[in-house]
Amino acid sequence: MIYQRRTKDQLAARVARDIPDGAVVNLGIGQPTLVANHIASSREVLLHSENGMLGMGPAPHSGEEDYDLINAGKQPVTLLPGGSYFAHADSFAMIRGRHIDICVLGAFQVSVTGDLANWHAGDTNAIPAVGGAMDLAVGAKQTWVMMDLLTRQGNSKVVPVCTYPLTGVSCVKRIYSDLATLECTPGGLRLVDLVDGLTHAELERLVGLPVMPPPRSPAGP
Amino acid sequence: MLNKVAASVGDALAGVEDAATVMIGGFGTAGIPVELIEGLIAQGARDLTVVNNNAGNGDTGLAALLAAGRVRKIVCSFPRQADSHVFDDLYRSGRIELELVPQGTLAERIRAAGAGIGAFYTPTGHGTELAKGKETRLIDGRQYVLEYPIHGDLALIKAERGDRWGNLTYRKTARNFGPVMAMACRRTVASVHEIVDLGGLDPEAIVTPAIFVSQIVKVERRATQAGGFKQ
């Protein structure tokens, strides 16, 4: 059967669907930033930016950029009414102190038990840069990863054990990917959902790992 | 009379010694005290250790200090950016030392120095390369890494408004590392765009109290330039 990958926007919308009203959320740089565009207007979500802002708003109109008001990716943003600014020590107290409900990060690899590798692809010539990833990975109440399930070469980015340098140990709760949503548990991967047309067996073949079925919902069909 | 207002950037930065540890506020280009860095270049101190979140954007500010060959070592969380070519070249040719620190650990190590804390345990980085060789401890079922404070000789901070006692307010996300760095150094020089009379800053809104500031100097406002991402 033919299956279709989620586009980047569809994936962002899938992540946004699971963010509850009233949540405090930190969106990592790159792809996770897109999630902000898909949060339903019926939900009020407080966006935290590691560089010292709570209540972050959308990008400014062209010509109104103020580079004293930027997000973690250093792009110009706005502040919503009710938003606040604070210094770095306070910002990371919010992160480490378990005050952020959800952070969404990109990843190079995630292990079945939720180890995360997203700061260094292991190339010894690369200039290393970690930013706030290690703090976010272990500090948020829930860490979600948003990524393609497979590399361009077709290898699974969900692995038994990460081969790239780790960002955090047993910290990822959920993996939102272009093909499936998965949960990392101490007992291994558990399926949350699949894109239309992809079977559970085909998913297991693609990742090369056993995936437990979703828990049977008592009211479900 | 207590008057911390310096007549010029040059006056404010007199006597910076070679091999000093200099903390420079800023995240990307927001909060980078460009005029103070230009003053430090003119002052001439070399063999510096610089603490900043990044490692310079484009060719101005911190990048200009690096390009002038004044920096022996940089302590930061995120050196590699779209426009960090000055640092990239120095690093690849082995002409600068890098200590990479997770961003929250960087902020807390600086805060610890300012707060008189001897060391602290943080969960950040446990089990990663950046915690290699560091003491760890299991506390209440969770693993933590022991981290030590970073003390500085000089902090260069970009603030918005100040008074002659040295009280400071900031502007938007340009605040970032300013308040903790001001606490952590033997000497803190802040640039401001406006100097107001005592009482002119709302005491409920002062972000950095005067005690953490050694000198302030007024500089003209220049629009903060974009930096740190591909445009």
Side-chain angles (χ1 to χ4, degrees):
Chain A
M1 197 171 169
I2 308 281
Y3 58 84
Q4 197 89 52
R5 296 170 55 195
R6 289 169 177 147
T7 64
K8 287 201 185 338
D9 272 308
Q10 286 168 340
L11 177 55
R14 175 65 191 86
V15 175
R17 214 174 80 200
D18 285 355
I19 297 176
D21 188 33
V24 178
V25 178
N26 183 298
L27 301 173
I29 58 177
Q31 228 191 105
T33 308
L34 283 178
V35 173
N37 301 340
H38 295 276
I39 295 168
S41 56
S42 58
R43 294 182 200 177
E44 199 162 39
V45 170
L46 266 187
L47 293 181
H48 172 270
S49 190
E50 70 193 22
N51 55 317
M53 172 177 21
L54 193 61
M56 180 169 67
H61 296 296
S62 178
E64 289 175 18
E65 296 87 356
D66 176 349
Y67 287 95
D68 282 344
L69 177 44
I70 55 175
N71 64 16
K74 301 174 182 88
Q75 288 151 325
V77 292
T78 53
L79 187 75
L80 298 177
S84 57
Y85 302 117
F86 34 83
H88 249 81
D90 292 340
S91 184
F92 280 82
M94 294 177 197
I95 293 171
R96 244 188 273 99
R98 293 265 192 240
H99 304 285
I100 308 284
D101 295 310
I102 297 161
C103 84
V104 186
L105 298 172
F108 298 138
Q109 288 178 329
V110 182
S111 83
V112 292
T113 54
D115 293 353
L116 171 66
N118 80 345
W119 70 284
H120 199 308
D123 176 359
T124 48
N125 285 323
I127 295 172
V130 65
M134 288 187 180
D135 304 279
L136 284 163
V138 301
K141 286 182 201 160
Q142 286 196 34
T143 296
W144 296 353
V145 156
M146 181 178 171
M147 66 177 191
D148 288 341
L149 190 63
L150 307 175
T151 65
R152 283 194 189 128
Q153 292 74 37
N155 299 317
S156 176
K157 291 166 75 172
V158 182
V159 291
V161 177
C162 293
T163 53
Y164 290 152
L166 290 184
T167 306
V169 178
S170 299
C171 56
V172 177
K173 175 128 201 277
R174 280 197 166 198
I175 302 167
Y176 292 86
S177 79
D178 53 340
L179 295 176
T181 308
L182 299 165
E183 221 160 65
C184 300
T185 77
L189 294 171
R190 185 188 293 281
L191 183 63
V192 177
D193 64 22
L194 292 162
V195 294
D196 285 343
L198 181 64
T199 64
H200 190 150
E202 178 68 1
L203 174 73
E204 287 187 317
R205 193 191 64 78
L206 289 172
V207 298
L209 290 161
V211 178
M212 293 179 278
R216 197 184 293 261
S217 153
Chain B
M1 193 172 93
L2 183 60
N3 184 10
K4 296 178 182 171
V5 178
S8 68
V9 168
D11 283 1
L13 293 177
V16 179
E17 292 184 0
D18 290 351
T21 294
V22 182
M23 297 195 183
I24 300 178
F27 179 94
T29 54
I32 287 282
V34 176
E35 295 82 357
L36 297 182
I37 296 171
E38 287 168 353
L40 185 60
I41 294 170
Q43 190 269 343
R46 50 185 60 251
D47 204 23
L48 302 172
T49 294
V50 165
V51 182
N52 179 257
N53 185 61
N54 302 103
N57 300 96
D59 295 292
T60 57
L62 177 51
L65 183 67
L66 299 183
R70 303 292 174 72
V71 181
R72 181 184 67 78
K73 176 182 176 181
I74 191 152
V75 181
C76 73
S77 86
F78 208 82
R80 185 189 67 233
Q81 302 168 92
D83 55 359
S84 59
H85 47 266
V86 172
F87 171 81
D88 297 358
D89 290 347
L90 289 169
Y91 182 77
R92 290 192 197 286
S93 57
R95 285 179 291 160
I96 195 163
E97 189 186 330
L98 169 67
E99 180 180 346
L100 191 72
V101 182
Q103 197 174 151
T105 300
L106 182 64
E108 194 64 13
R109 288 177 64 191
I110 295 167
R111 199 197 72 83
I117 300 297
F120 59 92
Y121 284 101
T122 177
T124 302
H126 182 262
T128 75
E129 277 183 11
L130 296 189
K132 240 177 218 163
K134 295 182 177 174
E135 283 182 55
T136 60
R137 185 157 175 171
L138 187 68
I139 303 172
D140 273 346
R142 195 160 194 222
Q143 289 284 358
Y144 292 81
V145 180
L146 186 65
E147 293 284 357
Y148 290 91
I150 305 173
H151 294 272
D153 298 300
L154 172 68
L156 302 181
I157 303 301
K158 179 182 176 178
E160 178 65 15
R161 301 169 84 206
D163 61 29
R164 67 175 171 85
W165 282 6
N167 292 303
L168 300 175
T169 65
Y170 297 83
R171 184 167 185 272
K172 303 185 178 182
T173 57
R175 181 183 306 192
N176 58 63
F177 281 90
V180 280
M181 286 181 170
M183 295 167 65
C185 295
R186 289 196 291 122
R187 176 178 170 194
T188 292
V189 177
S191 69
V192 296
H193 295 307
E194 192 186 351
I195 295 174
V196 302
D197 290 339
L198 291 182
L201 298 176
D202 177 357
E204 301 284 3
I206 289 170
V207 177
T208 294
I211 192 168
F212 298 125
V213 178
S214 316
Q215 282 154 299
I216 70 168
V217 59
K218 188 180 173 201
V219 300
E220 287 310 307
R221 182 188 297 285
R222 290 190 254 180
T224 301
Q225 298 300 301
F229 66 98
K230 228 179 239 150
Q231 292 188 65

